[in-house]
Amino acid sequence: MGGDMKKFLIILSILMSPFISVSSSSAGEVLLHTFVNTHARFFEAQAERYKKEVDPNFNLTIVEVPYGQLYDQVTASLASGGLGAPDIVDMEQGAFGRFLMGGDPGFVDMNSLRTSACSMDDFVSSRLSLYTWNGITYGYEHALTPVVYYYHTEPFEKAGIDPADIKTWDEWSSIMKEMGVAGMSITPNFWHLLLKQAGADYFDADGNVTINSELSISVLEWMKQQYDDGTIILQPDGAAQYAVHRDGDVIGNAGADWYGGFFRDNLPELKGKMKAAPLPAWEEGGSRTSVFGGTAPMIVKTSKNIDDAYKFLEFAQCSVEGAVSRYQLTTLFPPYYPAMNDERLLKPDPYFSNQVLGKVFRDISQKIPKQYQSPYRTFLEGEVGKIFNDIMEGAISPADAANQIADKVKEEMDFNS
């Protein structure tokens, strides 16, 4: 079978997925694909608000597609000239790199459509940089994604410990060992999360691979030691990741603002039994937060409804009302400065023991670390995922693993240069 025919059949098989809509939208009817229900609920609420306040004839159709499948489908749709593509795709920042490989990612330049109602100065610049390439901004971020330590209150209260008073990760480790519990469940993404807190990244500002820097290796070595000591465990897949909290196998987790919404949706029985605190720092007086994840809706270039799609996104993403609604529905703290001090973000949260969770996010928002985008981030993170469990289980040392990943990414860069 020829290469072109094989590529065609792969694209065809993806486009025939039941999640793909191949029908064209008409004027005022916008099709949006997302990978997460919390975002779907937000977009649904904003569409209702838009119909009432702006255009009563506007219609938004929202389709939820599993994460990996969504971006495979969008890639195939773009390769086919737009067949089956939505008007708007909710683009997770870790997946965006794969669309930069060919130069033109296939999405609309937001600045070309932006009106005076949406100032880039109103956004935390480091959050927009995740969706900016060669000077073009393709999406407006949903969330600041400040990382906090979500924890079960009862075991800490019994031990007489306030997690907010734990100053460093080494102190946290000692306390977990004294309590005899696992304080977190981790995924491969936690290497990146903790590295950003330490002030570094997988790539530098010039796009060079830095995952095998001394700092990066030392962070991974610390994680490996915690795994050996039992203070962290590997996070199970699917619903089991919540079962470890329900069963008391783990008493906390480092997570971004959106993770609070996941707790609410999947562990309603923990209502009133949870709180959040700033992360312990790597060194006393250091940063007590990181960033984790992020998503920005983008308009596909092949859309026949670019203007309608953009007007809706500007209404939802560049407004105080949209930002507040998103936080109320999902706990996504806005990266939008005009909304940060809105009193509706600073109300006691019944799920989190009536803690003012928004204040915790706001107070650490000035220490949000920088993060660098790269066309090779998706590839690199895939390599981390392949080897991460082997690192924790001792099959390969952190240093060897980091160097192996860096070498593979550099080979991929050379291959595509």
Side-chain angles (χ1 to χ4, degrees):
M1 181 183 295
D4 290 342
M5 177 59 70
K6 186 174 181 180
K7 180 179 180 181
F8 169 77
L9 291 175
I10 291 172
I11 292 173
L12 183 63
S13 68
I14 294 174
L15 292 174
M16 290 178 67
S17 161
F19 288 101
I20 280 284
S21 170
V22 296
S23 59
S24 298
S25 304
S26 58
E29 295 183 354
V30 174
L31 177 63
L32 184 151
H33 285 183
T34 185
F35 61 94
V36 60
N37 181 256
T38 50
H39 292 190
R41 297 202 305 262
F42 163 71
F43 285 123
E44 183 177 6
Q46 295 312 296
E48 287 301 311
R49 192 167 68 90
Y50 191 74
K51 285 171 70 75
K52 291 178 182 177
E53 299 180 19
V54 180
D55 182 0
N57 297 315
F58 178 79
N59 287 296
L60 179 70
T61 299
I62 302 167
V63 180
E64 291 182 48
V65 185
Y67 178 92
Q69 189 172 0
L70 172 59
Y71 300 117
D72 286 345
Q73 289 171 352
V74 174
T75 300
S77 294
L78 291 172
S80 71
L83 179 64
D87 298 297
I88 300 171
V89 59
D90 220 9
M91 180 61 66
E92 198 274 332
Q93 52 85 31
F96 185 44
R98 68 190 283 183
F99 293 93
L100 302 175
M101 298 296 292
D104 181 359
F107 304 102
V108 174
D109 175 1
M110 289 294 199
N111 288 336
S112 69
L113 301 172
R114 184 165 51 85
T115 71
S116 59
C118 191
S119 170
M120 295 297 93
D121 292 338
D122 285 339
F123 285 89
V124 176
S125 61
S126 62
R127 301 310 296 161
L128 291 185
S129 66
L130 290 170
Y131 314 101
T132 300
W133 190 248
N134 291 332
I136 298 174
T137 298
Y138 295 98
Y140 301 146
E141 170 69 83
H142 282 300
L144 189 64
T145 72
V147 176
V148 296
Y149 183 61
Y150 295 102
Y151 64 93
H152 300 219
T153 56
E154 185 176 350
F156 283 100
E157 287 173 353
K158 284 184 177 179
I161 296 167
D162 183 349
D165 294 333
I166 302 175
K167 294 182 174 61
T168 67
W169 279 115
D170 286 340
E171 182 182 349
W172 176 90
S173 175
S174 297
I175 289 171
M176 293 304 109
K177 285 187 279 190
E178 289 174 8
M179 293 174 67
V181 295
M184 290 195 297
S185 62
I186 63 166
T187 67
N189 292 317
F190 274 66
W191 183 3
H192 199 198
L193 182 161
L194 293 172
L195 178 59
K196 285 177 287 187
Q197 185 194 10
D201 203 340
Y202 284 160
F203 297 91
D204 64 18
D206 296 320
N208 300 306
V209 184
T210 54
I211 192 172
N212 59 335
S213 68
E214 288 186 13
L215 179 57
S216 180
I217 292 170
S218 70
V219 168
L220 188 58
E221 289 173 338
W222 183 87
M223 294 172 66
K224 164 62 174 162
Q225 186 62 56
Q226 302 316 302
Y227 180 78
D228 290 344
D229 291 343
T231 64
I232 63 175
I233 63 172
L234 292 174
Q235 182 171 290
D237 293 329
Q241 67 180 289
Y242 303 108
V244 295
H245 284 276
R246 186 181 297 112
D247 298 339
D249 296 329
V250 65
I251 63 168
N253 247 73
D257 45 9
W258 49 263
Y259 201 64
F262 285 11
F263 269 109
R264 280 203 196 102
D265 287 351
N266 295 280
L267 291 163
E269 61 270 40
L270 292 184
K271 180 179 179 179
K273 301 177 180 179
M274 297 288 296
K275 280 189 175 181
L279 296 181
W282 281 110
E283 296 181 354
E284 191 166 342
S287 172
R288 298 198 61 178
T289 191
S290 182
V291 285
F292 186 9
T295 302
M298 297 183 180
I299 301 171
V300 180
K301 269 191 173 180
T302 56
S303 169
K304 296 179 181 178
N305 299 301
I306 289 175
D307 286 341
D308 287 319
Y310 182 77
K311 288 175 183 176
F312 169 69
L313 287 183
E314 190 170 82
F315 177 85
Q317 303 296 107
C318 300
S319 69
V320 171
E321 289 304 313
V324 170
S325 173
R326 186 191 298 110
Y327 179 75
Q328 292 171 331
L329 288 167
T330 66
T331 71
L332 294 178
F333 196 79
Y336 187 65
Y337 288 120
M340 283 188 180
N341 290 314
D342 192 286
E343 62 181 13
R344 290 169 292 178
L345 302 182
L346 304 174
K347 290 185 175 180
D349 189 320
Y351 186 89
F352 289 97
S353 307
N354 285 320
Q355 182 181 27
V356 183
L357 192 60
K359 185 177 186 302
V360 179
F361 295 145
R362 187 193 63 183
D363 289 351
I364 60 176
S365 65
Q366 300 305 313
K367 296 291 183 73
I368 294 296
K370 292 181 180 179
Q371 187 173 352
Y372 300 110
Q373 188 55 272
S374 166
Y376 297 92
R377 265 194 60 196
T378 305
F379 179 84
L380 181 148
E381 288 172 354
E383 294 301 312
V384 172
K386 291 175 187 177
I387 203 171
F388 188 76
N389 283 15
D390 287 340
I391 300 168
M392 293 297 109
E393 298 291 350
I396 183 171
S397 74
D400 287 346
N403 285 317
Q404 178 177 305
I405 293 167
D407 288 345
K408 287 186 176 181
V409 176
K410 290 172 185 176
E411 288 174 7
E412 187 72 6
M413 289 176 164
D414 291 341
F415 179 79
N416 288 289
S417 64

